[in-house]
Short mmCIF file of all heavy atoms in Angstrom, two decimals:
data_model
loop_
_atom_site.label_atom_id
_atom_site.label_comp_id
_atom_site.label_asym_id
_atom_site.label_seq_id
_atom_site.Cartn_x
_atom_site.Cartn_y
_atom_site.Cartn_z
N ALA A 1337 6.88 10.02 13.78
CA ALA A 1337 7.42 11.38 13.75
C ALA A 1337 8.61 11.52 12.82
O ALA A 1337 9.37 12.47 12.91
CB ALA A 1337 7.82 11.79 15.17
N TYR A 1338 8.77 10.56 11.90
CA TYR A 1338 10.00 10.56 11.09
C TYR A 1338 10.15 11.79 10.21
O TYR A 1338 11.24 12.12 9.77
CB TYR A 1338 10.10 9.27 10.24
CG TYR A 1338 9.22 9.24 9.01
CD1 TYR A 1338 9.72 9.63 7.76
CD2 TYR A 1338 7.90 8.84 9.09
CE1 TYR A 1338 8.91 9.62 6.64
CE2 TYR A 1338 7.09 8.83 7.96
CZ TYR A 1338 7.60 9.22 6.74
OH TYR A 1338 6.80 9.22 5.64
N THR A 1339 9.06 12.52 9.97
CA THR A 1339 9.16 13.73 9.13
C THR A 1339 9.59 14.93 9.95
O THR A 1339 9.82 16.01 9.41
CB THR A 1339 7.81 14.06 8.47
OG1 THR A 1339 6.83 14.22 9.52
CG2 THR A 1339 7.36 12.96 7.53
N ARG A 1340 9.69 14.77 11.26
CA ARG A 1340 9.98 15.92 12.12
C ARG A 1340 11.38 15.82 12.69
O ARG A 1340 11.89 14.73 12.92
CB ARG A 1340 8.93 15.98 13.25
CG ARG A 1340 7.52 16.13 12.70
CD ARG A 1340 6.47 15.91 13.76
NE ARG A 1340 6.57 16.91 14.79
CZ ARG A 1340 5.98 16.80 15.98
NH1 ARG A 1340 5.28 15.74 16.27
NH2 ARG A 1340 6.11 17.74 16.88
N LYS A 1341 12.00 16.97 12.93
CA LYS A 1341 13.42 16.95 13.35
C LYS A 1341 13.63 17.39 14.81
O LYS A 1341 14.58 16.98 15.44
CB LYS A 1341 14.23 17.88 12.42
CG LYS A 1341 14.20 17.46 10.95
CD LYS A 1341 15.03 16.19 10.69
CE LYS A 1341 14.84 15.66 9.29
NZ LYS A 1341 13.76 14.65 9.17
N ASP A 1342 12.76 18.24 15.31
CA ASP A 1342 12.97 18.82 16.64
C ASP A 1342 12.67 17.81 17.75
O ASP A 1342 11.53 17.44 17.99
CB ASP A 1342 12.08 20.06 16.78
CG ASP A 1342 12.37 20.85 18.05
OD1 ASP A 1342 12.54 20.22 19.11
OD2 ASP A 1342 12.43 22.10 17.97
N LYS A 1343 13.75 17.39 18.45
CA LYS A 1343 13.62 16.36 19.52
C LYS A 1343 12.62 16.77 20.59
O LYS A 1343 11.82 15.97 21.06
CB LYS A 1343 14.99 16.11 20.16
CG LYS A 1343 15.92 15.23 19.31
CD LYS A 1343 15.81 13.77 19.76
CE LYS A 1343 16.33 12.77 18.76
NZ LYS A 1343 17.70 12.98 18.32
N ASN A 1344 12.71 18.04 21.02
CA ASN A 1344 11.83 18.50 22.09
C ASN A 1344 10.37 18.44 21.68
O ASN A 1344 9.50 18.04 22.45
CB ASN A 1344 12.19 19.93 22.52
CG ASN A 1344 13.55 19.98 23.18
OD1 ASN A 1344 14.00 18.99 23.75
ND2 ASN A 1344 14.22 21.12 23.08
N GLU A 1345 10.11 18.84 20.42
CA GLU A 1345 8.73 18.81 19.92
C GLU A 1345 8.23 17.37 19.84
O GLU A 1345 7.07 17.09 20.13
CB GLU A 1345 8.66 19.45 18.54
CG GLU A 1345 8.60 20.96 18.57
CD GLU A 1345 8.48 21.55 17.18
OE1 GLU A 1345 8.17 20.80 16.23
OE2 GLU A 1345 8.72 22.77 17.05
N ILE A 1346 9.12 16.47 19.43
CA ILE A 1346 8.73 15.06 19.32
C ILE A 1346 8.38 14.51 20.70
O ILE A 1346 7.36 13.83 20.89
CB ILE A 1346 9.84 14.23 18.65
CG1 ILE A 1346 9.97 14.63 17.17
CG2 ILE A 1346 9.56 12.73 18.76
CD1 ILE A 1346 11.17 14.06 16.44
N ASN A 1347 9.21 14.84 21.70
CA ASN A 1347 8.94 14.38 23.07
C ASN A 1347 7.63 14.95 23.59
O ASN A 1347 6.87 14.27 24.29
CB ASN A 1347 10.09 14.76 24.01
CG ASN A 1347 11.33 13.91 23.73
OD1 ASN A 1347 11.21 12.77 23.26
ND2 ASN A 1347 12.50 14.45 23.99
N GLU A 1348 7.35 16.20 23.23
CA GLU A 1348 6.10 16.83 23.63
C GLU A 1348 4.91 16.09 22.99
O GLU A 1348 3.90 15.83 23.65
CB GLU A 1348 6.12 18.31 23.18
CG GLU A 1348 4.91 19.12 23.58
CD GLU A 1348 4.56 19.04 25.06
OE1 GLU A 1348 5.48 19.03 25.92
OE2 GLU A 1348 3.35 18.96 25.36
N SER A 1349 5.07 15.70 21.72
CA SER A 1349 4.01 14.95 21.03
C SER A 1349 3.78 13.59 21.67
O SER A 1349 2.65 13.13 21.79
CB SER A 1349 4.35 14.77 19.56
OG SER A 1349 4.34 16.01 18.91
N ILE A 1350 4.88 12.95 22.08
CA ILE A 1350 4.75 11.64 22.77
C ILE A 1350 3.93 11.83 24.04
O ILE A 1350 3.02 11.05 24.33
CB ILE A 1350 6.15 11.07 23.12
CG1 ILE A 1350 6.88 10.64 21.85
CG2 ILE A 1350 6.03 9.92 24.12
CD1 ILE A 1350 7.00 9.18 21.57
N ARG A 1351 4.23 12.91 24.77
CA ARG A 1351 3.48 13.18 26.01
C ARG A 1351 2.00 13.36 25.70
O ARG A 1351 1.13 12.85 26.41
CB ARG A 1351 4.04 14.42 26.72
CG ARG A 1351 5.19 14.11 27.67
CD ARG A 1351 5.46 15.27 28.63
NE ARG A 1351 5.96 16.46 27.94
CZ ARG A 1351 7.25 16.63 27.61
NH1 ARG A 1351 8.14 15.70 27.91
NH2 ARG A 1351 7.63 17.72 26.98
N GLU A 1352 1.71 14.10 24.62
CA GLU A 1352 0.30 14.34 24.24
C GLU A 1352 -0.40 13.03 23.88
O GLU A 1352 -1.56 12.81 24.26
CB GLU A 1352 0.24 15.30 23.04
CG GLU A 1352 0.53 16.74 23.39
CD GLU A 1352 0.72 17.62 22.16
OE1 GLU A 1352 0.34 17.19 21.04
OE2 GLU A 1352 1.24 18.74 22.31
N VAL A 1353 0.31 12.16 23.16
CA VAL A 1353 -0.29 10.87 22.78
C VAL A 1353 -0.57 10.04 24.03
O VAL A 1353 -1.63 9.43 24.17
CB VAL A 1353 0.62 10.11 21.78
CG1 VAL A 1353 0.16 8.66 21.62
CG2 VAL A 1353 0.62 10.80 20.42
N TYR A 1354 0.37 10.03 24.97
CA TYR A 1354 0.18 9.27 26.21
C TYR A 1354 -0.99 9.83 27.03
O TYR A 1354 -1.70 9.09 27.70
CB TYR A 1354 1.45 9.27 27.07
CG TYR A 1354 2.55 8.37 26.53
CD1 TYR A 1354 3.88 8.58 26.90
CD2 TYR A 1354 2.27 7.30 25.68
CE1 TYR A 1354 4.90 7.75 26.43
CE2 TYR A 1354 3.27 6.47 25.21
CZ TYR A 1354 4.59 6.70 25.58
OH TYR A 1354 5.60 5.89 25.12
N GLN A 1355 -1.18 11.14 26.95
CA GLN A 1355 -2.31 11.75 27.66
C GLN A 1355 -3.63 11.28 27.06
O GLN A 1355 -4.58 10.98 27.78
CB GLN A 1355 -2.22 13.28 27.55
CG GLN A 1355 -1.68 13.93 28.81
CD GLN A 1355 -1.52 15.43 28.62
OE1 GLN A 1355 -1.37 15.93 27.50
NE2 GLN A 1355 -1.55 16.15 29.71
N ARG A 1356 -3.66 11.23 25.75
CA ARG A 1356 -4.87 10.83 25.05
C ARG A 1356 -5.10 9.32 25.15
O ARG A 1356 -6.22 8.85 25.17
CB ARG A 1356 -4.76 11.24 23.58
CG ARG A 1356 -6.04 11.03 22.82
CD ARG A 1356 -5.97 11.71 21.47
NE ARG A 1356 -6.45 13.07 21.53
CZ ARG A 1356 -5.97 14.07 20.81
NH1 ARG A 1356 -4.98 13.86 19.99
NH2 ARG A 1356 -6.49 15.28 20.90
N PHE A 1357 -4.00 8.56 25.19
CA PHE A 1357 -4.09 7.09 25.25
C PHE A 1357 -3.26 6.57 26.44
O PHE A 1357 -2.15 6.05 26.24
CB PHE A 1357 -3.53 6.44 23.97
CG PHE A 1357 -4.13 6.94 22.69
CD1 PHE A 1357 -3.52 7.93 21.95
CD2 PHE A 1357 -5.30 6.38 22.17
CE1 PHE A 1357 -4.05 8.38 20.75
CE2 PHE A 1357 -5.84 6.82 20.97
CZ PHE A 1357 -5.22 7.81 20.26
N PRO A 1358 -3.79 6.71 27.66
CA PRO A 1358 -3.02 6.28 28.84
C PRO A 1358 -2.56 4.82 28.74
O PRO A 1358 -1.49 4.47 29.23
CB PRO A 1358 -4.01 6.47 29.99
CG PRO A 1358 -5.04 7.42 29.49
CD PRO A 1358 -5.12 7.25 28.01
N ARG A 1359 -3.36 4.00 28.07
CA ARG A 1359 -3.00 2.59 27.95
C ARG A 1359 -1.69 2.38 27.18
O ARG A 1359 -0.95 1.45 27.42
CB ARG A 1359 -4.14 1.85 27.23
CG ARG A 1359 -4.24 0.40 27.66
CD ARG A 1359 -5.56 -0.19 27.31
NE ARG A 1359 -6.69 0.68 27.65
CZ ARG A 1359 -7.94 0.36 27.43
NH1 ARG A 1359 -8.23 -0.79 26.88
NH2 ARG A 1359 -8.92 1.16 27.77
N LEU A 1360 -1.43 3.27 26.23
CA LEU A 1360 -0.18 3.15 25.47
C LEU A 1360 1.02 3.47 26.35
O LEU A 1360 2.09 2.87 26.20
CB LEU A 1360 -0.20 4.09 24.25
CG LEU A 1360 -1.22 3.79 23.16
CD1 LEU A 1360 -1.05 4.76 22.00
CD2 LEU A 1360 -1.13 2.35 22.66
#
Side-chain angles (χ1 to χ4, degrees):
Y1338 77 95
T1339 57
R1340 300 169 63 195
K1341 299 288 172 268
D1342 188 317
K1343 282 265 162 55
N1344 293 333
E1345 279 182 15
I1346 292 171
N1347 288 332
E1348 183 51 40
S1349 293
I1350 291 253
R1351 272 196 294 277
E1352 285 169 16
V1353 168
Y1354 286 158
Q1355 258 176 335
R1356 188 168 270 145
F1357 306 96
R1359 210 162 314 180
L1360 294 183

